[in-house]
Amino acid sequence: MRKRTEQEWIRLLKESKELDPDPEYVRKTREKILSEARKSPSSIRKRSWKTIWPTIMAVCLAAVLAITVLNYQVPISQPSSPTSSHPEPVSKPIQVNKDTEVFIYNTHSWESFETKKINGYNRKKNVQTVAKSLGHYLTQESVPTTIDDTNYTKLLMEKDIDFQDSYELSRKSVQKAVQAYPKVQLVLDIHRDDTIGKKEKTTIKIDGKNAAKIQFFVSNTHPSYEENLKVAEQLDRILNKMYPGISRGILKEDERPYHDPVSYNQDLHPGALLINIGGVENTLKEEERTTKILATAIKHALNEQ
């Protein structure tokens, strides 16, 4: 049998009469369509849930991220005040105690140890480490202590300030401390001797082990310096009674007019002293041994008052 061409099929369709479907066929077809229509909502819901589930998860994740971001506060830097020629110290005391009786700081914060250089500076082996050690042992002696950990040497370098102005920076911290701690009895600026080649001058044997010697410095450039001198003499006496020779005594500045501004902050409080603990060639272990002894001596001195 020959197959009809496309043109022939088109012609036949045009010439054919309109179809008249069987009524029974129409009825059954209608019922089938209605039946399928009743089933369709369930299937649509299933397909819809599968479709929107990933979207719901994405929205939830976005909400969590948004809450996290909103709760995070970005720190805003505060501009420095342009009214002062020297910036305020930027660090806060590492310990704060309103009952403070001893306040410790380091004007020359990078004065270092275990070196042969007079002006040797070390960011780790320095007088700030010694100050913290002294604070630790004072706390063990139940002496309320605050340590100012401001790095004045670093601040000088960052702000390009002359080294001779170090005391102008530390002075501001001492002024605040005297006001903040009404019970303070001692304000100690911890340094070390810069003597080179004579470690025996800054070292003593105690119980078979080396320890650093102590030296007090009192400035007489202010009218009430004798009050500071009395405190230094008291500590010198107690130390040498405990371990004869551990204190090298008191170094007094040569007489100068009282209007000289360099008082090493000792005019701010009668218990303000500059203390050299050891020298550049002493080790931190030797320094630590001495801070423990000094803490005990300070405890005795406070009990005498």
Side-chain angles (χ1 to χ4, degrees):
M1 182 178 179
R2 181 180 68 85
K3 292 183 179 180
R4 290 186 175 89
T5 64
E6 183 176 356
Q7 287 77 13
E8 289 175 335
W9 282 112
I10 293 173
R11 180 175 54 80
L12 289 172
L13 286 172
K14 287 181 179 180
E15 295 176 352
S16 63
K17 295 180 180 180
E18 186 175 347
L19 295 176
D20 188 14
D22 182 78
E24 183 65 13
Y25 173 80
V26 173
R27 184 183 62 79
K28 290 183 178 181
T29 301
R30 183 175 178 275
E31 290 179 353
K32 184 175 182 181
I33 291 173
L34 290 174
S35 177
E36 290 295 325
R38 294 188 188 97
K39 297 178 181 178
S40 61
S42 176
S43 60
I44 290 173
R45 283 194 296 269
K46 292 179 180 179
R47 287 196 299 270
S48 299
W49 179 251
K50 292 179 180 179
T51 302
I52 66 174
W53 173 249
T55 304
I56 293 174
M57 291 299 294
V59 171
C60 291
L61 179 59
V64 172
L65 291 174
I67 292 171
T68 303
V69 172
L70 290 174
N71 286 336
Y72 177 75
Q73 297 179 350
V74 179
I76 302 174
S77 59
Q78 298 295 331
S80 58
S81 174
T83 59
S84 176
S85 59
H86 297 294
E88 292 288 335
V90 294
S91 296
K92 296 181 180 179
I94 59 173
Q95 304 173 36
V96 178
N97 188 338
K98 285 296 183 181
D99 294 324
T100 291
E101 295 182 19
V102 179
F103 180 78
I104 305 172
Y105 68 106
N106 304 99
T107 299
H108 298 159
S109 51
W110 282 356
E111 283 185 343
S112 61
F113 301 93
E114 302 178 26
T115 179
K116 297 288 185 180
K117 297 179 180 179
I118 294 177
N119 294 323
Y121 286 92
N122 189 302
R123 299 186 182 189
K124 295 182 180 180
K125 298 179 180 180
N126 56 49
V127 290
Q128 284 195 307
T129 307
V130 178
K132 291 176 183 178
S133 178
L134 177 58
H136 168 73
Y137 287 117
L138 282 169
T139 300
Q140 285 192 347
E141 293 285 351
S142 299
V143 176
T145 302
T146 292
I147 302 176
D148 172 24
D149 67 342
T150 304
N151 194 331
Y152 295 106
T153 302
K154 182 179 179 181
L155 192 60
L156 286 173
M157 296 173 67
E158 289 178 347
K159 303 299 181 181
D160 194 25
I161 303 174
D162 290 339
F163 187 76
Q164 64 186 13
D165 293 330
S166 299
Y167 282 94
E168 290 191 37
L169 292 181
S170 63
R171 185 176 184 83
K172 295 175 182 178
S173 293
V174 175
Q175 288 172 327
K176 290 179 180 179
V178 171
Q179 294 177 355
Y181 308 116
K183 296 181 181 180
V184 69
Q185 300 296 314
L186 294 174
V187 179
L188 307 179
D189 187 7
I190 305 300
H191 292 253
R192 56 96 173 107
D193 197 304
D194 61 4
T195 302
I196 296 295
K198 295 182 180 180
K199 185 180 177 182
E200 68 278 3
K201 186 178 179 180
T202 61
T203 309
I204 186 175
K205 284 279 188 182
I206 295 179
D207 297 330
K209 296 180 180 180
N210 283 342
K213 287 186 177 182
I214 295 172
Q215 185 179 47
F216 299 94
F217 176 82
V218 175
S219 171
N220 59 359
T221 61
H222 61 99
S224 58
Y225 83 94
E226 290 183 354
E227 295 297 319
N228 306 82
L229 182 60
K230 288 180 182 178
V231 176
E233 289 173 341
Q234 180 191 27
L235 287 171
D236 175 72
R237 170 178 55 80
I238 293 173
L239 282 165
N240 282 328
K241 185 176 180 180
M242 293 171 59
Y243 298 99
I246 191 172
S247 175
R248 296 165 56 192
I250 303 165
L251 179 63
K252 302 174 185 178
E253 191 173 1
D254 293 334
E255 291 291 336
R256 294 189 296 180
Y258 286 153
H259 67 269
D260 190 328
V262 182
S263 67
Y264 303 96
N265 301 330
Q266 293 178 16
D267 61 310
L268 298 176
H269 193 278
L273 297 174
L274 188 157
I275 303 179
N276 284 327
I277 303 180
V280 292
E281 296 179 76
N282 285 104
T283 67
L284 284 178
K285 194 64 180 177
E286 292 165 353
E287 295 287 314
E288 182 186 358
R289 293 188 185 109
T290 297
T291 57
K292 185 175 183 179
I293 294 170
L294 178 58
T296 302
I298 288 173
K299 174 70 172 181
H300 290 327
L302 294 176
N303 287 340
E304 286 182 1
Q305 295 179 1

